Amino acid sequence: MNLHRRWLALAGVVVALVPVLVSPASASSTPRSRPVVQLAQTLTWTTDNEITRYKTAPTTAVAGETTIVFENSEATGNTTGMPHTLTFDTSTEGYNHDVNLNILANPFDANNGRHTATVTLTPGRYRYFCSIPGHSSMVGEFTVAGGPVDTTPPTVSGSVSGTRDTAGNYVGSATVTVGASDAGGSGVASVEYQLDDTSFVPYTQPVVVTAIGDHSVQYRATDVAGNVSAVGSVQFRVVEPDDEDTTPPTVNAAVSGNRDAQGRYVGSATVTVTATDDDSGVARIETSVDGGAFTVYTAPVVVSSAGAHMVHYRAVDNAGNQSPEGMVGFTVVAADTTPPTVSGSVSGTRDVNGNYVGSAFVTVTASDTGSGVAIVEYSLDGGAFTRYPAPIVVSTAGAHTVRFRATDNAGNTSPEGSVSFTVVTGDTAPPTVSGSVTGDRDANGNYLDSATVTVTASDAESGVATVQYAVDGGSFTTYTVPVVVSSLGAHTVSFRATDNAGNTSLVGLVNFTVVRRPVPDTTAPTTSATVSGNRDGNGSYIGSATVTVTATDAQSGVRSIEYALDAGPYIAYSGPVSVTTTGPHAVKYRATDNAGNVAAEQTVTFTVVAPGSDACPNSDTRPTVVIDGVDTGVANVDTGNGCTINDLIAENAEYPDHATFVRHVQSVTAPLVTNGVITRRDQGAIVRAAAASTIGSRSFHAFA
């Protein structure tokens, strides 16, 4: 440390302000005549997002066995996952060093940030701090009371020094030095003095008196237990100096050497002292290292032992005048060639696949037993290295890699370490998936010789994990490149996508026809229609009926299908038509092939009746929705008219093909989602089970 001198001129009294080292006092408790009672106690420290202070901490305690509680959690205000330590100081002078405690806590550790330890405290003071780099302002102390009461006052003494004439008077000035000690055990708390009966003031350093005349300095001391010593005193006279030299030399000191990033001297420090005297000249310079005896200074003082050091210095001129003491403080650390040790860990909430949901917290720790850690750095996903101040919060969905390294105060840098992980959002929405067909086409839109199906998927939250496809009702296969279909005829390619949170989209479809090079086609497509739904004893459809139209063309292929409901106009058919209006209905339908041939109009008729209280007297009441032996896990609830979801699916009905059955399941479950009977996720599970079944792949029988 550097010594800063200030001088106060008060009524001719000059007081030099320098530090006074006072030994730490032992705390007292009960009088000697009473037994000491050891009480079980709990001391609690808490922390939050701050790195400059503990949120709460004790200031006093009693001696004996003690439960230490250190909590650094969301409950105490830590919302960022920042780690802190509660570390007891075992080296700084003036504090108890008999408890070795070092607790690291963060809200995501195995104890959720709350840790306990049992220690035994003794009377005195303890210092504690946070050892995380950058948290050095988190420090404090507390006092422990215990043991017998100190009833013995301190012992105090005073002495006068300076240049004296033959009569014993002090020439120009006199310096009064006061010393105190305490045998009672609690230690000296304060020392006071007063000059010439003015008033007592704190004694912090030797008192220099320059006013000419007779003087008396009284002094006293008080210990930590409050005992005050008897007042002591010294008397003296200060006289005017004659023309001879009465001015002490001017003395200065400088410290040099190689320094680390924290200002400590690596290997050794050299203290150079200089002094000047314009009158009689400098007779000698003296130095004292770390409280040792003063010795004559002949060359710069080299200090090479590791640790904190204080060098005091003074000079005497040829007239015998001695300068006030100066001092310089510094720290020497051993030369360090070993890089720090650095490690990283990832914490946060994880899903079943080990991904971190919402965000991940990366904590980097570093240690160095030599010169100490100077800086810790990290790089996120290949970015530039930057200083690590606190745990890194990564909330962007996707795969990530954090690299890290540390450099000590001697300039040694550790090898890079890294941790890799994946972050997913709290994602409940399935991906968006679509398919497109490309290839050479004839005038009717048929694909010549082959068609290429390209599937694309996106997910704005956790991201797409897998994409799958199935050709013509086959098994789903992982999609990696566009699918080429070259077999002649009409085809259906189904596709779906799953995101990193496990959500799977509904099955999408693309339909197309592959034909040979143009062949004259004069035959219209073949068309058919089926009606599905829950039927009552009269054959009427309860609540709704679904009309599915199919068309085939063995030559140029089907270009379009149209239908007209009741007296309405023909419109393009894109999928099963759900009719919910009660009463009799007629659906006309026709198809056109790619050669322009139009099939003859056909009609299917049916009746829709309102749901009754017992629309399905032989209802399928299995507890969950089961399709072709596959249990979806979705509750098989009553849909509101006495029919269950299994009744609506009607897995035992006849369907012309597998795709028709899948579309039927999509159609009857869509109103259940709209009406809140099931969730969209439930619908997805049901449709996936339908797509995975073999229903419709069997021989076709017309609906009753």
Side-chain angles (χ1 to χ4, degrees), residues 614-704:
D614 189 16
C616 297
N618 297 315
S619 177
D620 182 343
T621 59
R622 286 176 289 179
T624 56
V625 176
V626 179
I627 300 177
D628 201 19
V630 176
D631 190 339
T632 66
V634 178
N636 183 32
V637 298
D638 189 312
T639 60
N641 60 357
C643 296
T644 65
I645 298 175
N646 277 334
D647 294 332
L648 299 183
I649 291 172
E651 64 173 333
N652 294 320
E654 296 291 345
Y655 299 92
D657 52 46
H658 178 68
T660 299
F661 172 66
V662 174
R663 289 193 294 271
H664 163 69
V665 173
Q666 289 176 312
S667 175
V668 299
T669 55
L672 301 182
V673 175
T674 302
N675 296 329
V677 177
I678 61 174
T679 66
R680 188 168 296 279
R681 185 183 292 273
D682 293 338
Q683 184 195 28
I686 295 171
V687 173
R688 287 195 294 272
S693 73
T694 60
I695 297 173
S697 299
R698 311 162 207 159
S699 61
F700 168 73
H701 298 287
F703 288 133

Side-chain angles (χ1 to χ4, degrees), residues 264-287:
R264 301 177 299 186
Y265 290 86
V266 180
S268 65
T270 300
V271 180
T272 302
V273 184
T274 59
T276 59
D277 189 87
D278 294 334
D279 293 324
S280 60
V282 177
R284 66 184 182 277
I285 299 173
E286 297 174 316
T287 57

Side-chain angles (χ1 to χ4, degrees), residues 441-495:
R441 305 178 73 175
D442 61 17
N444 298 315
N446 298 314
Y447 290 87
L448 302 177
D449 296 330
S450 67
T452 300
V453 179
T454 301
V455 182
T456 58
S458 63
D459 190 89
E461 297 186 58
S462 60
V464 176
T466 60
V467 179
Q468 297 176 303
Y469 75 96
V471 179
D472 296 334
S475 300
F476 274 96
T477 303
T478 300
Y479 174 89
T480 56
V481 295
V483 180
V484 178
V485 180
S486 57
S487 59
L488 301 181
H491 298 283
T492 297
V493 173
S494 307
F495 45 84

Side-chain angles (χ1 to χ4, degrees), residues 20-341:
V20 177
L21 299 180
V22 180
S23 299
S26 299
S28 61
S29 60
T30 57
R32 295 181 184 272
S33 59
R34 298 174 58 189
V36 176
V37 179
Q38 301 297 333
L39 299 176
Q41 64 182 333
T42 298
L43 302 182
T44 301
W45 283 257
T46 65
T47 55
D48 51 21
N49 296 328
E50 292 290 332
I51 63 172
T52 60
R53 52 102 177 113
Y54 287 84
K55 184 174 184 180
T56 63
T59 57
T60 61
V62 296
E65 184 174 287
T66 301
T67 298
I68 301 294
V69 177
F70 178 41
E71 183 168 0
N72 176 31
S73 67
E74 292 183 346
T76 62
N78 191 330
T79 59
T80 64
M82 180 179 298
H84 293 297
T85 75
L86 175 61
T87 304
F88 274 33
D89 191 331
T90 58
S91 61
T92 300
E93 186 177 348
Y95 297 94
N96 291 2
H97 299 154
D98 54 354
V99 174
N100 188 4
L101 182 70
N102 184 25
I103 302 174
L104 171 65
N106 71 72
F108 304 107
D109 61 27
N111 294 328
N112 296 319
R114 181 179 173 88
H115 298 258
T116 61
T118 301
V119 301
T120 299
L121 302 178
T122 56
R125 289 189 303 162
Y126 289 85
R127 180 178 182 269
Y128 56 87
F129 61 94
C130 178
S131 63
I132 299 294
H135 297 195
S136 59
S137 295
M138 294 181 64
V139 64
E141 64 178 40
F142 67 95
T143 301
V144 177
V149 171
D150 176 8
T151 59
T152 303
T155 300
V156 65
S157 62
S159 62
V160 185
S161 61
T163 302
R164 304 180 73 173
D165 58 18
T166 56
N169 301 314
Y170 290 88
V171 179
S173 67
T175 300
V176 179
T177 301
V178 180
S181 62
D182 187 70
S186 65
V188 176
S190 65
V191 178
E192 300 172 293
Y193 79 96
Q194 68 173 350
L195 175 63
D196 298 333
D197 298 319
T198 52
S199 62
F200 276 97
V201 294
Y203 173 87
T204 59
Q205 65 164 42
V207 180
V208 179
V209 182
T210 59
I212 305 303
D214 292 322
H215 299 284
S216 174
V217 173
Q218 291 81 36
Y219 43 83
R220 65 189 181 193
T222 303
D223 62 20
V224 173
N227 301 300
V228 181
S229 70
V231 176
S233 66
V234 291
Q235 290 78 34
F236 54 90
R237 174 177 292 178
V238 177
V239 296
E240 288 279 3
D242 53 23
D243 293 335
E244 64 186 35
D245 180 8
T246 60
T247 303
T250 299
V251 62
N252 293 288
V255 185
S256 60
N258 295 324
R259 305 180 74 176
D260 61 21
Q262 294 181 339
R264 301 177 299 186
Y265 290 86
V266 180
S268 65
T270 300
V271 180
T272 302
V273 184
T274 59
T276 59
D277 189 87
D278 294 334
D279 293 324
S280 60
V282 177
R284 66 184 182 277
I285 299 173
E286 297 174 316
T287 57
S288 166
V289 179
D290 295 335
F294 274 96
T295 60
V296 175
Y297 172 89
T298 58
V301 178
V302 178
V303 181
S304 57
S305 60
H309 299 281
M310 295 291 292
V311 173
H312 291 247
Y313 52 88
R314 65 192 183 193
V316 180
D317 62 17
N318 287 303
N321 301 303
Q322 178 177 291
S323 71
E325 284 183 19
M327 65 179 178
V328 288
F330 52 89
T331 298
V332 175
V333 294
D336 180 9
T337 59
T338 303
T341 300

